[in-house]
Amino acid sequence: MRFKGYMPDYIFEKTTNITLEFLRENNFEYLFLDVDNTLARHGSMEPAEGVVEWLDIIQNNGIKVIITSNNFAKRVEPFAKIINLDFVCFSAKPTPYGFLKAKSKLKADLHKTLVVGDQCFTDVLGGHIIGLKVAMVLPIFEEEGFGYDMKRKFEKKYIDRYLEENGEFL
């Protein structure tokens, strides 16, 4: 038995595959973005290839964007400055806390908001808890270690199910 809350609404190979056309077709005007393994390698201050250009396109076309990260300010704030985004750190995902704080900062309509992140346990479940649509992205870099191995093994079931139902990643 799989818990529906862990199932992403969409899966993209990478964040930059989320096109302006996709956002408009699905009536998304706000993006809540994770950082680690979504916009950059875990712990890196360098945005992944194409992220800066992608953000320019998205924001220049009226999409409002904010970072929602479980990491601390010492990690999130310098990265957010590099890519010129507002942020909510220590979001406590999967609780609604960080998403509600981001909603308040952007004055976002949650019905027009898409959460983007790389983890079922935090980003996907957290977004679904408060009724948001969620796009999971494949991690930029596969961390190693027991905790990561267990987490990714669990997530693979949901990724496989998505592929069975949709045929391919977006």
Side-chain angles (χ1 to χ4, degrees):
M1 178 80 175
R2 294 186 180 119
F3 177 55
K4 191 174 160 183
Y6 292 118
M7 187 68 190
D9 298 293
Y10 316 98
I11 300 180
F12 291 84
E13 286 190 62
K14 55 188 178 179
T15 304
T16 55
N17 283 9
I18 302 171
T19 64
L20 182 60
E21 293 73 26
F22 170 84
L23 296 171
R24 286 185 171 155
E25 286 171 10
N26 291 282
N27 201 31
F28 294 122
E29 297 178 11
Y30 306 91
L31 293 177
F32 294 174
L33 301 174
D34 186 40
V35 174
D36 290 318
N37 270 329
T38 301
L39 298 176
R41 285 178 61 136
H42 190 85
S44 173
M45 289 297 162
E46 184 177 333
E49 183 179 338
V51 164
V52 172
E53 297 82 3
W54 174 78
L55 281 168
D56 284 343
I57 292 167
I58 297 301
Q59 290 181 294
N60 287 336
N61 283 279
I63 306 295
K64 294 182 177 44
V65 184
I66 192 168
I67 290 172
T68 54
S69 174
N70 276 354
N71 220 318
F72 296 100
K74 70 180 182 178
R75 159 68 175 127
V76 179
E77 186 172 14
F79 183 80
K81 283 183 181 177
I82 290 168
I83 60 173
N84 197 31
L85 287 181
D86 196 1
F87 64 93
V88 175
C89 59
F90 199 65
S91 291
K93 294 179 280 185
T95 73
Y97 169 78
F99 293 134
L100 294 175
K101 194 167 180 180
K103 173 194 182 295
S104 177
K105 282 186 166 201
L106 291 184
K107 296 178 178 38
D109 177 346
L110 294 182
H111 295 99
K112 296 179 180 183
T113 300
L114 180 66
V115 173
V116 180
D118 70 306
Q119 293 186 44
C120 287
F121 286 116
T122 56
D123 308 301
V124 175
L125 180 59
H128 284 160
I129 284 173
I130 62 169
L132 299 175
K133 292 289 186 180
V134 182
M136 183 176 179
V137 296
L138 301 182
I140 292 170
F141 178 77
E142 290 289 338
E143 305 101 332
E144 295 181 358
F146 179 73
Y148 289 113
D149 292 345
M150 291 297 294
K151 174 176 56 178
R152 297 302 181 194
K153 181 178 178 182
F154 172 82
E155 290 172 340
K156 185 175 180 336
K157 294 175 186 177
Y158 291 93
I159 292 169
D160 289 347
R161 182 172 167 205
Y162 179 90
L163 289 172
E164 286 172 17
E165 293 174 5
N166 297 284
E168 62 185 4
F169 300 125
L170 299 169

